[in-house]
Amino acid sequence: MDNFINAIASISWWMWIIIILLIVAIRDIFFQKRHTISHNFPIVGHIRYLLESIGPEMRQYFVANNREELPFNRIERSWIYASAKQENNYEGFGTDRDIYAHQHIFINNAMMSYKIEDNHPNSIDKSFIPCAKVMGAYHKRRKPYRPASIINVSAMSFGSLSAKAVESLNKGVKITDAYHNTGEGGLSPYHKNGGDVVFHFGTGYFGVRAKDGGFSMEKMIKLVEDNPFIKAIEIKLSQGAKPGKGGVLPGAKISHEIAEIRGVEVGKDVLSPPNHSAFSNVPELVGFIEDIAEQTGLPVGIKAAIGKLEQWEELADIMKKTGKGPDFITVDGGEGGTGAAPPSFADHVSLPWVYGFGDLYKVFQNKGLTNRIVFIGSGKLGFPAKAAMAFAMGVDCINVAREAMMSIGCIQAQICHTNRCPSGIATQSKWLQNGINVPLKSERLAQYFKSFKKELIEITHAAGHEHPCQFNMNDIEVNVDDHNLSQDMSSTYMYDKTNVPFTSMQDLKDCIFLGGNSEQKTHKN
């Protein structure tokens, strides 16, 4: 035995390297049958797989230029990172963007910008921009809600995101008076840190799920009663990443905590079907919305990616005839988002946001319904110029998902669906989550929102308006073909936005339904 140990100890370090490589080569050639490259090129083949695995990061940092990456290029990511960290987010020496490129946005500035007086809300708070409409006002819901911020966190579930990521987002929206959409994974303890919440559910009815897998009104009523920070309810019909497709949550991922939150069994696969069981057609959807609104008192809306318009026409007709229907509509873009999906869905099913929203808005505008509805845009709108375009088209609020993730540390590794997110945001790995400093990240989300709102209000003032709701289609021009021809948006998308009733920013600030203080203000009055 001593002789064996001495023999092992006498082997030099470089010999150990050769022995290990030899073992790998023998394994590649004689034992593994799955990979042709490593069989035909033992050892060297592994280098190819390594380089392939880190290819996105290599291209992101060393190959791609500032403007060519998707879904978010380096300039866009850098602006979010700098804004979140309160660093210099300016550009020097002019833009490096091709301003003659297709769909480049131009905002027509006024000869003289809007002047704010000393006592104006924006002279006191440079990032104050509440929604110009009140959710639930037209339908006289018992608890109307005016979002105190026009930028908010979009639907991302606990389970899809880590506990620390959800907690950071919720604490961040509290700081900046925004709201936090739960996503369809249910209301978790990490959504209960003081921020306003929009409770969102899909076909799995997680959090309000009956034993048979259907919807439970009793659970919905109790959820709202127990959690007064829930300000609105959103029913997901479809999402941009995979409209019309359900999903399976593998049993291996269902911990005791997730099972309790979602109302499912530990260790058993859970199906989210493509269709709702609570309704099967548009009239039943309207009845479902009205029933939830009546039972909870909250505004109720729907979220969808846009494709065919026939059923939307039917919804508009019912709303016009009955005076009933959703209080808000969230339009998701076919660009996809944080939800994992097959490339065939992510690349081809449903329209991109700018086309889908325009088509949908015209449906409701033609019926004279636009001022009854709060329109929410969701689809890479987390940049001031894109938001100005969206407001000119008719949105009243925007929701951001990936931009919010980047503000708390996402590096666009594009492996959200693997549970190996290196930033700890889209993973359930406790080790990877340990890198998230919740107090710091919540401040960064808040600072990104504040920077966004500050720049958007400055753009708004430059265009001669007081609030972004006053943007109209003639305020924005876009390049529409390969000959560098720009047209105003009314010519490009063939409609004019309906004017949003607006008096002044001060009136919005004084509104009793503004943000999370509505109940307190109502009692005082």
Side-chain angles (χ1 to χ4, degrees):
M1 187 65 180
D2 290 340
N3 291 335
F4 176 76
I5 294 174
N6 291 334
I8 293 294
S10 66
I11 299 175
S12 60
W13 64 268
W14 57 269
M15 282 295 294
W16 278 114
I17 294 176
I18 293 175
I19 291 170
I20 292 170
L21 292 177
L22 182 61
I23 292 171
V24 172
I26 293 171
R27 177 258 183 195
D28 287 344
I29 296 171
F30 296 106
F31 294 98
Q32 74 84 25
K33 304 295 183 183
R34 297 181 61 186
H35 302 293
T36 303
I37 296 297
S38 58
H39 175 275
N40 294 344
F41 302 93
I43 302 173
V44 177
H46 291 281
I47 299 175
R48 182 259 182 191
Y49 295 123
L50 173 64
L51 292 175
E52 183 181 45
S53 69
I54 63 173
E57 289 81 3
M58 296 290 286
R59 292 188 293 273
Q60 183 179 127
Y61 294 118
F62 301 112
V63 179
N65 68 35
N66 285 346
R67 298 286 186 181
E68 71 179 358
E69 293 177 274
L70 291 173
F72 294 89
N73 63 46
R74 184 178 296 140
I75 291 294
E76 291 171 329
R77 296 196 314 275
S78 296
W79 181 82
I80 293 174
Y81 296 149
S83 297
K85 297 175 184 177
Q86 289 186 276
E87 296 176 350
N88 187 340
N89 61 4
Y90 283 28
E91 290 181 12
F93 209 64
T95 181
D96 62 356
R97 184 186 290 272
D98 180 3
I99 62 173
Y100 301 102
H102 181 62
Q103 288 197 329
H104 183 77
I105 299 166
F106 301 94
I107 299 167
N108 292 323
N109 59 295
M111 180 181 179
M112 297 182 184
S113 63
Y114 178 86
K115 183 179 180 181
I116 61 174
E117 304 298 334
D118 291 342
N119 61 347
H120 189 279
N122 288 130
S123 68
I124 301 167
D125 180 356
K126 297 184 184 300
S127 63
F128 177 74
I129 324 178
C131 181
K133 292 180 185 174
V134 179
M135 292 180 179
Y138 177 82
H139 295 117
K140 296 181 172 58
R141 308 302 188 199
R142 295 196 304 275
K143 303 174 184 176
Y145 175 59
R146 186 192 295 275
S149 169
I150 50 84
I151 180 173
N152 304 281
V153 174
S154 191
M156 297 182 285
S157 305
F158 168 59
S160 173
L161 300 192
S162 68
K164 286 193 173 183
V166 174
E167 184 179 353
S168 298
L169 294 173
N170 193 261
K171 289 182 175 179
V173 300
K174 179 184 178 182
I175 296 169
T176 192
D177 296 324
Y179 66 70
H180 186 184
N181 191 305
T182 63
E184 64 178 310
L187 183 73
S188 74
Y190 313 105
H191 291 103
K192 302 178 181 182
N193 288 283
D196 284 358
V197 165
V198 173
F199 180 77
H200 169 111
F201 66 89
T203 58
Y205 304 114
F206 301 127
V208 288
R209 182 182 175 97
K211 289 184 178 180
D212 64 357
F215 174 77
S216 170
M217 183 62 78
E218 292 75 16
K219 288 188 176 180
M220 174 63 80
I221 294 169
K222 180 171 173 49
L223 184 78
V224 171
E225 289 177 348
D226 292 347
N227 302 282
F229 52 82
I230 297 177
K231 302 299 180 181
I233 296 167
E234 182 175 80
I235 304 166
K236 188 187 83 170
L237 303 180
S238 60
Q239 67 184 76
K242 46 184 177 183
K245 179 176 173 59
V248 176
L249 185 65
K253 287 189 174 182
I254 302 177
S255 64
H256 285 278
E257 183 179 36
I258 291 176
E260 183 178 352
I261 292 166
R262 297 198 175 202
V264 298
E265 294 185 52
V266 177
K268 287 189 177 182
D269 291 353
V270 177
L271 173 68
S272 293
N275 304 102
H276 279 268
S277 60
F279 54 88
S280 58
N281 54 46
V282 177
E284 289 179 2
L285 168 62
V286 173
F288 186 57
I289 290 169
E290 291 296 323
D291 195 16
I292 294 175
E294 175 61 29
Q295 295 289 339
T296 65
L298 296 178
V300 180
I302 55 179
K303 175 182 179 178
I306 308 303
K308 295 179 179 180
L309 297 175
E310 290 87 350
Q311 290 173 314
W312 292 103
E313 294 273 5
E314 183 181 1
L315 174 61
D317 287 336
I318 292 172
M319 291 177 66
K320 185 172 183 178
K321 181 179 179 180
T322 66
K324 300 177 179 179
D327 298 293
F328 61 94
I329 298 176
T330 302
V331 178
D332 207 6
E335 297 89 343
T338 55
S344 55
F345 272 81
D347 295 347
H348 301 290
V349 182
S350 86
L351 294 173
W353 186 87
V354 69
Y355 302 137
F357 181 83
D359 287 352
L360 181 79
Y361 187 87
K362 284 184 281 187
V363 168
F364 290 94
Q365 186 184 55
N366 291 339
K367 308 290 184 183
L369 300 171
T370 49
N371 281 334
R372 298 186 189 182
I373 303 165
V374 174
F375 288 99
I376 302 172
S378 177
K380 293 179 66 176
L381 300 176
F383 304 92
K386 287 186 177 180
M389 175 199 71
F391 275 90
M393 294 182 70
V395 306
D396 302 293
C397 282
I398 66 168
N399 287 352
V400 293
R402 290 170 290 182
E403 298 95 318
M405 290 168 62
M406 283 188 275
S407 75
I408 64 170
C410 167
I411 61 170
Q412 193 172 274
Q414 296 180 271
I415 53 174
C416 310
H417 57 297
T418 67
N419 205 37
R420 294 185 286 106
C421 171
S423 62
I425 294 170
T427 178
Q428 296 305 305
S429 165
K430 299 295 185 183
W431 170 257
L432 293 172
Q433 288 185 58
N434 285 337
I436 298 178
N437 181 326
V438 172
L440 175 64
K441 299 301 185 182
S442 60
E443 287 286 349
R444 288 186 176 176
L445 181 280
Q447 189 56 48
Y448 159 57
F449 275 16
K450 289 176 182 178
S451 297
F452 171 93
K453 290 187 284 186
K454 177 178 177 292
E455 289 194 23
L456 177 57
I457 203 66
E458 289 172 347
I459 290 174
T460 302
H461 292 166
H465 302 308
E466 184 181 7
H467 188 284
C469 75
Q470 296 173 288
F471 273 114
N472 60 65
M473 302 287 272
N474 295 322
D475 286 320
I476 313 292
E477 295 186 21
V478 292
N479 290 334
V480 295
D481 65 14
D482 295 332
H483 300 289
N484 303 323
L485 173 66
S486 71
Q487 291 186 344
D488 61 57
M489 293 183 70
S490 61
S491 301
T492 303
Y493 296 108
M494 305 300 292
Y495 74 94
D496 284 304
K497 167 192 163 184
T498 303
N499 290 333
V500 176
F502 174 78
T503 52
S504 70
M505 196 74 86
Q506 187 64 50
D507 285 346
L508 299 186
K509 185 176 181 181
D510 295 337
C511 174
I512 63 171
F513 304 122
L514 179 64
N517 296 321
S518 58
E519 293 180 9
Q520 180 182 348
K521 289 182 178 180
T522 302
H523 293 321
K524 286 182 178 179
N525 291 327

